[in-house]
Amino acid sequence: MSTLRFQALKESLGRDIVPVNETKRRSALFGENVFNQETMLQYLTKDAYNSVIDAIENGSKIDRSIADQISSSMKDWALSKGVTHYTHWFQPLTGATAEKHDAFFETIGNGQAIEKFGGGQLVQQEPDASSFPNGGIRNTFEARGYTAWDPTSPAFIYGTTLCIPTVFVAYTGEALDYKTPLLRALHAVDSAATSIAKYFDKNVKKVNASLGWEQEYFLIDSALANSRPDIVMTGRTLLGHSPAKGQQLDDHYFGSIPTRALDYMRDLETECMLLGIPVKTRHNEVAPNQFELAPIFEETNLAVDHNSLLMDVMEKIGARHKFKVLLHEKPFAGVNGSGKHNNWSLSTNTGVNLLSPGKTPMSNLQFLTFFVNTIKAINEYEELMRAGIASASNDHRLGANEAPPAIMSVFIGEQLTAVLKELEGVTDGKLSPQEKTDLKLNVVGKIPEILLDNTDRNRTSPFAFTGNKFEFRAVGSKANCANPMTILNTIVAKQLVDFKKEVDHLIDTKELKKDEAIFNVLREYIKESKNILFEGNGYGAEWEKEAKKRGLSNNKSTPDALKAKVSKKTIELFEQMGVMNKVESEARYEIEIEEYVMRIQIEGRVLGDVARNHVIPTAIRYQNMLINNVSGLKDLYGKDFKKYAAEQMQIIEEISEHIGKINVKVSKMTEARKKANKLEDLEKKAADYCNKVKPFFDEIRYSCDKLELLIDDELWPLTKYRELLFTR
Ligand code: ADP
Ligand code: MG
């Protein structure tokens, strides 16, 4: 075994388990490091408290003098917990979170110093925006960026730093982050859904979109992970032969959690408790060393912040336990990848889940209204939904027979399929009393409050209804949920606005009763949205054919998928709903496509290096051993040597063939990269990287993986799949 690989394994196997300090009940720890309502009550004056609550609930502005009071109280609270610094915490379009720490410490002359944190520092900061992706916004407007406090997501302490969740925008107002458009989309869906919910209950004042994400990830011993340049540089393996045993025995899924991983999880969960992230579920996933963690769902903005924070904390706690946490969607070829299901629903301030069937025909009509409108929205904007989950890393997963295909469809289950079928037959215009009674008793009234258990849910569907929520299953494990959630909430908002117009129009012009009008519009929607409903196997080749017939998009690569983000239809949608203007949509597109190019570019470089610097030299070394052996045999047996050296000679040849192939393909890939780099047009460049550079990856890998099987294990320098995946 190569020295490096040997050292890594030795280090990994000799690990001591890090003791976990779990002394308090979790409920007692929950939110301890969060400036939440309970803490605010303790630290804030009544005026300040009310003003923050009003900002959270009604989006009102916080007065500057009140902000001064709040910041001062926040500082007192933070100091009492040993905090020294504060930071505006935000989510630029890099995918990671950003922070720049400033000390509370300030000098006041005469060699004296105090701790200070003013309202101005709480409310607004100016990080150097030039180093964050902006898609040309700043060049166009020569504007600086600033971060502004988002009071709807509470400040928290991480380590010795007070973190204040903020939006990040250009001085000209354009969003430079994930949070800003998300907040606008949540506002749009609130206002649209509230006006529909009022049809059913006048007391509804607000509708919150909820999000419950489920985070999948791999835990790899850090010594082993660090011994692989591809994992270090790209977060995934670019080569490596599948192990003799993979996941076919299904003996990992829901199996007993390995001790070391469990200790990591307990530590992570404790930290989550302190930060107010309500994690609840943990289990082994399908692949070896793959796990999942899920919280109790929350209001979407908070849930998104918590997921972004979690991804950061996961890595930090990982370091303590000597684990590298892989959030990449496909770290290992031939082994299940990771996703992040986004469970989504809408609920009112009166406590009603709008996507949950109720006890009465009227509440069920409300459920059906939101249910059908969501389906219609997905049908109208399926291509945009696909674009919302596109990334270089998620491309490996979508359509790879383990995750939903690149085709969007909605699964609703047998019971609701039958209900929609009945509704399709509702009479046009006014309904007779008999028809009304019939609908109430036999259709709407018959929807069970608890729908069939989820066990029969279709795991191959990218967007499945699971009883009281939709589950967007195609989101990538590494993704910031804000991107798909902004899209989903915007398209539903738009759909609900249109729905209200149509219903009101029928009430006004045809003198229909409200429920008659609703039935009429829903009937048409059901007819129009049939294409998106699919109950079959989403992994099958049949579905691809069928989807094509139905006219559904099937954009398999990120460069193709992303185009929907700047279609006329999308730009109009975001403008109409006040979520993003044209400049913002275009900037985001540019950033994402650029990121795609960079990811593939880096992977290409790393693969070229590893193939040439690790694989080929090792192959040559082993080949030399064989050559020595053959010439020894020749010395020994003279012209009869072939009788004894035939196998060796064949391996020598095979090695030469693979070396030749790798060398040629790496050169060709480098050429293709150079050509692509010269292209000025970003779209063309991305297409080149996708269609001309990336295809070499598999070809190079093929020969490298063959060599891994041929070459003496003692010499092989790269930690193997079986070691990465089965070392505990
Ligand atoms: P599973 O999908 O593993 O069967 P559940 O269906 O119980 O488990 O829930 C999965 C996730 O859905 C959890 O993270 C949960 O918080 C979330 N969830 C449940 N109800 C809602 C809701 N109304 N809105 C958003 N997410 C929800
Ligand atoms: Mg789930």
Side-chain angles (χ1 to χ4, degrees):
M1 192 178 290
S2 74
T3 332
L4 181 74
R5 198 170 132 225
F6 176 73
Q7 284 298 346
L9 265 173
K10 199 172 136 202
E11 216 180 296
S12 145
L13 290 170
R15 292 260 186 249
D16 284 334
I17 293 202
V18 180
V20 179
N21 192 10
E22 216 176 2
T23 48
K24 275 196 197 170
R25 253 195 258 159
R26 296 209 163 166
S27 55
L29 294 178
F30 189 70
E32 202 174 288
N33 290 348
V34 182
F35 199 63
N36 53 21
Q37 299 199 2
E38 197 189 323
T39 313
M40 282 197 275
L41 267 176
Q42 215 179 316
Y43 277 84
L44 293 181
T45 61
K46 210 163 179 184
D47 276 354
Y49 177 80
N50 287 338
S51 146
V52 176
I53 299 299
D54 198 43
I56 294 172
E57 284 173 3
N58 309 313
S60 63
K61 272 220 150 35
I62 291 175
D63 210 71
R64 183 53 203 269
S65 65
I66 298 272
D68 278 333
Q69 286 183 39
I70 297 171
S71 62
S72 163
S73 310
M74 251 187 210
K75 180 199 68 188
D76 291 345
W77 169 71
L79 290 178
S80 79
K81 290 182 163 286
V83 168
T84 54
H85 286 66
Y86 65 91
T87 182
H88 275 197
W89 180 85
F90 58 103
Q91 296 161 58
L93 296 165
T94 52
T97 53
E99 42 194 276
K100 171 184 157 249
H101 299 186
D102 280 301
F104 288 129
F105 165 87
E106 255 174 48
T107 51
I108 49 167
N110 299 332
Q112 288 178 308
I114 54 164
E115 262 78 27
K116 195 167 173 258
F117 183 48
Q121 289 154 315
L122 165 67
V123 172
Q124 193 168 317
Q125 296 264 301
E126 277 181 46
D128 177 14
S130 61
S131 311
F132 293 105
N134 58 68
I137 283 179
R138 283 185 54 270
N139 304 346
T140 322
F141 295 88
E142 291 182 68
R144 287 166 302 158
Y146 69 92
T147 51
W149 181 32
D150 165 22
T152 61
S153 181
F156 57 89
I157 294 169
Y158 192 64
T160 50
T161 307
L162 171 68
C163 302
I164 297 142
T166 56
V167 294
F168 180 37
V169 288
Y171 256 102
T172 37
E174 284 84 9
L176 296 173
D177 67 349
Y178 281 110
K179 191 192 263 276
T180 309
L182 176 69
L183 286 174
R184 294 178 190 151
L186 293 172
H187 176 70
V189 84
D190 169 16
S191 111
T194 300
S195 57
I196 305 292
K198 275 184 199 288
Y199 280 148
F200 303 92
D201 177 2
K202 289 263 178 301
N203 297 319
V204 173
K205 292 210 165 56
K206 189 172 165 65
V207 171
N208 271 324
S210 52
L211 164 64
W213 40 260
E214 303 166 54
Q215 179 74 54
E216 292 182 343
Y217 61 99
F218 280 86
L219 281 182
I220 306 297
D221 179 88
S222 57
L224 299 180
N226 286 333
S227 73
R228 296 274 316 214
D230 45 0
I231 296 185
V232 172
M233 304 298 283
T234 70
R236 75 170 178 116
T237 57
L238 296 169
L239 43 87
H241 204 281
S242 359
K245 169 183 185 278
Q247 62 196 48
Q248 65 272 57
L249 294 175
D250 278 339
D251 52 358
H252 189 62
Y253 190 60
F254 277 26
S256 85
I257 302 175
T259 313
R260 212 179 130 198
L262 187 60
D263 283 322
Y264 164 79
M265 290 176 187
R266 285 170 59 202
D267 233 0
L268 175 63
E269 286 161 359
T270 303
E271 196 57 48
C272 286
M273 283 300 115
L274 293 170
L275 290 165
I277 306 173
V279 291
K280 188 160 167 77
T281 311
R282 64 184 182 210
H283 62 80
N284 288 355
E285 258 303 327
V286 176
N289 280 348
Q290 190 189 27
F291 307 95
E292 181 183 300
L293 161 158
I296 297 167
F297 66 94
E298 300 175 280
E299 183 279 317
T300 300
N301 177 38
L302 192 57
V304 168
D305 279 1
H306 279 165
N307 183 247
S308 298
L309 180 58
L310 173 92
M311 290 195 282
D312 189 25
V313 175
M314 282 176 91
E315 217 169 281
K316 290 187 171 129
I317 304 286
R320 196 165 115 80
H321 292 259
K322 302 290 187 290
F323 275 129
K324 177 144 179 89
V325 181
L326 301 184
L327 293 173
H328 192 286
E329 282 81 358
K330 192 74 181 173
F332 303 98
V335 172
N336 233 57
S338 302
K340 179 154 53 199
H341 297 181
N342 276 204
N343 295 274
W344 169 90
S345 187
L346 295 170
S347 57
T348 65
N349 63 313
T350 53
V352 175
N353 178 349
L354 295 167
L355 285 170
S356 180
K359 287 190 172 56
T360 63
M362 203 56 180
S363 60
N364 278 348
L365 182 58
Q366 171 166 276
F367 157 69
L368 284 170
T369 298
F370 285 93
F371 179 67
V372 172
N373 270 287
T374 304
I375 296 170
K376 174 93 173 0
I378 306 289
N379 186 57
E380 291 297 312
Y381 291 98
E382 45 95 9
E383 207 165 3
L384 180 57
M385 285 289 280
R386 162 68 181 100
I389 46 159
S391 70
S393 48
N394 211 16
D395 275 1
H396 294 284
R397 202 175 142 255
L398 301 179
N401 267 14
E402 61 174 69
I407 308 161
M408 280 300 131
S409 65
V410 181
F411 171 87
I412 60 172
E414 242 174 80
Q415 287 175 312
L416 289 166
T417 302
V419 172
L420 295 197
K421 203 157 184 232
E422 294 273 358
L423 286 181
E424 234 188 293
V426 168
T427 312
D428 202 0
K430 277 197 177 305
L431 304 175
S432 72
Q434 182 57 42
E435 282 171 329
K436 268 198 185 180
T437 316
D438 233 35
L439 265 177
K440 266 190 195 161
L441 290 183
N442 298 327
V443 183
V444 183
K446 280 245 169 93
I447 303 174
E449 207 181 331
I450 309 283
L451 286 154
L452 262 194
D453 187 53
N454 292 343
T455 39
D456 76 336
R457 97 171 61 142
N458 184 334
R459 306 296 298 179
T460 67
S461 173
F463 200 81
F465 185 71
T466 50
N468 57 4
K469 62 189 184 287
F470 280 98
E471 184 168 340
F472 191 10
R473 303 180 58 237
V475 182
S477 48
K478 199 151 85 70
N480 185 315
C481 305
N483 186 8
M485 282 299 111
T486 300
I487 291 169
L488 177 58
N489 287 292
T490 305
I491 64 176
V492 170
K494 151 90 177 144
Q495 182 51 53
L496 292 172
V497 168
D498 291 350
F499 175 75
K500 179 150 197 327
K501 267 188 220 147
E502 293 186 57
V503 170
D504 289 348
H505 183 74
L506 286 184
I507 294 172
D508 293 345
T509 59
K510 298 238 165 104
E511 291 173 7
L512 297 191
K513 288 263 175 2
K514 190 171 64 197
D515 52 355
E516 286 172 338
I518 291 174
F519 275 123
N520 269 277
V521 178
L522 291 185
R523 180 193 60 232
E524 296 310 305
Y525 283 4
I526 293 166
K527 285 188 197 158
E528 288 161 22
S529 312
K530 279 194 177 155
N531 273 341
I532 203 73
L533 295 177
F534 179 63
E535 303 284 299
N537 176 14
Y539 296 174
E542 287 305 301
W543 170 229
E544 269 200 59
K545 274 191 230 149
E546 165 70 16
K548 195 170 177 192
K549 258 197 243 155
R550 294 189 190 187
L552 295 173
S553 69
N554 185 6
N555 295 318
K556 293 190 175 174
S557 74
T558 293
D560 284 342
L562 283 178
K563 286 185 182 134
K565 285 206 160 181
V566 281
S567 68
K568 193 161 169 280
K569 187 173 163 184
T570 301
I571 288 179
E572 278 172 11
L573 163 79
F574 282 128
E575 290 202 316
Q576 188 199 337
M577 302 318 294
V579 173
M580 284 193 279
N581 62 28
K582 188 158 183 266
V583 175
E584 290 171 310
S585 288
E586 284 174 346
R588 241 146 253 261
Y589 172 66
E590 203 180 303
I591 290 166
E592 286 182 46
I593 205 140
E594 207 162 19
E595 157 144 16
Y596 176 84
V597 167
M598 288 187 294
R599 297 265 174 217
I600 306 293
Q601 188 177 51
I602 292 168
E603 288 191 347
R605 284 186 189 143
V606 174
L607 180 59
D609 284 358
V610 173
R612 279 218 169 114
N613 305 337
H614 291 65
V615 176
I616 292 184
T618 309
I620 292 174
R621 220 180 301 159
Y622 182 52
Q623 200 184 36
N624 279 338
M625 284 168 64
L626 293 171
I627 290 170
N628 274 340
N629 175 267
V630 172
S631 53
L633 289 168
K634 202 170 175 184
D635 289 348
L636 209 58
Y637 296 106
K639 61 180 172 14
D640 273 348
F641 84 100
K642 277 201 184 151
K643 211 165 118 193
Y644 306 98
E647 302 289 329
Q648 292 89 316
M649 288 168 71
Q650 199 194 324
I651 300 176
I652 291 171
E653 251 175 64
E654 277 180 50
I655 291 177
S656 284
E657 267 171 42
H658 287 303
I659 290 177
K661 278 189 192 152
I662 293 172
N663 204 38
V664 169
K665 301 253 153 83
V666 170
S667 298
K668 282 191 175 163
M669 174 178 71
T670 313
E671 278 310 305
R673 231 167 47 223
K674 280 187 183 153
K675 255 195 186 158
N677 289 342
K678 287 210 183 88
L679 295 171
E680 290 286 330
D681 184 292
L682 204 50
E683 256 180 24
K684 287 200 183 118
K685 194 189 267 190
D688 250 35
Y689 264 100
C690 180
N691 304 318
K692 301 208 170 130
V693 177
K694 199 165 159 260
F696 283 111
F697 291 10
D698 282 345
E699 296 179 24
I700 294 168
R701 173 178 197 144
Y702 177 82
S703 286
C704 292
D705 289 357
K706 285 283 174 211
L707 285 173
E708 182 183 324
L709 286 188
L710 283 177
I711 288 170
D712 183 358
D713 183 68
E714 295 247 345
L715 296 181
W716 193 255
L718 297 161
T719 302
K720 294 185 173 180
Y721 265 32
R722 67 161 183 270
E723 292 151 356
L724 292 166
L725 288 167
F726 291 95
T727 313
R728 297 275 145 83

